[in-house]
Amino acid sequence: MAEAIAKHVDDIDVDGVPPGAFEFYVTAEHDPAGMVYLCPCGCGRKGALEFRLPGAGRPSWIWDGDRERPTLTPSVHHLIGGKTHWHGHLTAGVWEPC
């Protein structure tokens, strides 16, 4: 499976958004609290990743603060029906499968 570019978009629900694209969701203060993304495999399903901030639940991810080419740790398990559908890393704005 090939890598995908994590393109920052304003609205993930419009037509033509590429696999791996993401938009931020924000706190009441308008700071990014996490991201909604399209699965990098191209299946079109969405996932959400909560950033590890005070009060964040688990699981959560450490975000490097880069809004255009983000890096998250640890790896991302995109689950469908409780099973791993896609597993990989988001590093410097590129989704790379494991």
Side-chain angles (χ1 to χ4, degrees):
M1 190 177 294
E3 58 187 39
I5 302 300
K7 180 180 179 185
H8 179 211
V9 297
D10 291 327
D11 186 353
I12 202 135
D13 293 318
V14 298
D15 290 337
V17 175
F22 68 95
E23 70 175 273
F24 292 109
Y25 59 88
V26 297
T27 65
E29 293 79 27
H30 303 287
D31 296 319
M35 63 171 57
V36 176
Y37 67 96
L38 285 182
C39 183
C41 84
C43 70
R45 296 193 184 213
K46 287 187 259 183
L49 302 167
E50 183 176 8
F51 297 154
R52 196 165 293 165
L53 303 171
R58 298 287 177 174
S60 60
W61 285 261
I62 298 169
W63 171 50
D64 70 349
D66 190 323
R67 292 175 182 251
E68 296 303 317
R69 296 178 38 140
T71 296
L72 298 179
T73 52
S75 64
V76 175
H77 282 93
H78 184 89
L79 303 175
I80 296 177
K83 296 182 180 180
T84 299
H85 173 74
W86 185 91
H87 178 222
H89 300 273
L90 176 56
T91 306
V94 178
W95 296 96
E96 296 185 50
C98 288

